[in-house]
Amino acid sequence: MNKSDSIVIIPTYNEKENIENIIRAVFGLEKVFHILIIDDGSPDGTAAIVKRMQEEFPERLFIVERSGKQGLGTAYIRGFQWALEHTYGYIFEMDADFSHNPNDLIPLYEACALKGADVAIGSRYIDGVNVVNWPLGRVLMSYFASMYVRIVTGMKIKDTTAGFKCYRREVLETIELEKIHFKGYAFQVEMKFTAYKCGFTLAEVPIIFVNRVLGVSKMNSSIFGEALFGVLKLKWWSFFRKYPQKQKKAIENV
């Protein structure tokens, strides 16, 4: 009953208002998911809440504690490494603050498990602009940043900066996680671009992104700046790097 082929990685820093509710929302879904929390020493006691909940969900809820804020990218890389050490076939990125609706985990899973995607991206921009409670300036900055990344990288996806994703295990085994450079939100672009250069199929699944209600946002204009300048570095590095390629499955003769 508690076994799962899927794990949801949720990085946290001061998410005490959200963490219990997001865990219960994921565990309330029809499909069984496991959750791995990567907590960067939250002074508000986020980790203590998770550890208390582990007593209730001992086979589904896991935590890795780190000392101090070390960046979103390194949190996910640590989570990916942990997941690959275990048997999970589908590995998810998700925020703790309900900006990513837990119900959308299932269509992201289905895109990879049933519809042929290697990376499924929860897209805010595949069907217009589906963002709720963001200031207009932030919507425009995000939308045009994604357009800019698409033009520079050549990726045929509309939400290039999205952070709600499902990876098939093979993707994370192939792309050489130790060579991922960025620690902040440019990490999200780098992961997609690397998967794309390795020959994996990226697919977008429409979602509605809702700005957080509780807790404090970690997003600011400098983070967007990192992503914008970082994509130029990614493109430049790509001219010199040899990317490992997705392994083609042999066709069996019947």
Side-chain angles (χ1 to χ4, degrees), residues 5-6 36-37 55 66 80 83 86 88 132 166 227 240:
D5 61 353
S6 303
L36 173 64
I37 304 297
E55 298 177 5
R66 308 195 304 171
F80 295 156
H86 296 76
Y88 300 102
V132 177
C166 173
F240 307 100

Side-chain angles (χ1 to χ4, degrees), residues 183-244:
K183 296 181 179 180
Y185 279 78
F187 162 84
Q188 299 292 8
V189 176
E190 185 173 9
M191 286 295 295
K192 296 183 194 71
F193 182 64
T194 305
Y196 166 74
K197 294 294 286 184
C198 290
F200 289 104
T201 300
L202 281 60
E204 292 182 274
V205 175
I207 65 165
I208 296 176
F209 182 97
V210 180
N211 196 26
R212 71 159 65 230
V213 175
L214 300 174
V216 178
S217 174
K218 285 78 175 177
M219 181 65 72
N220 55 52
S221 58
S222 66
I223 288 172
F224 275 106
E226 177 202 48
L228 290 176
F229 289 110
V231 73
L232 293 175
K233 292 182 179 179
L234 283 177
K235 186 65 175 180
W236 175 252
W237 292 333
S238 72
F239 293 125
F240 307 100
R241 179 180 172 186
K242 184 176 181 180
Y243 292 88

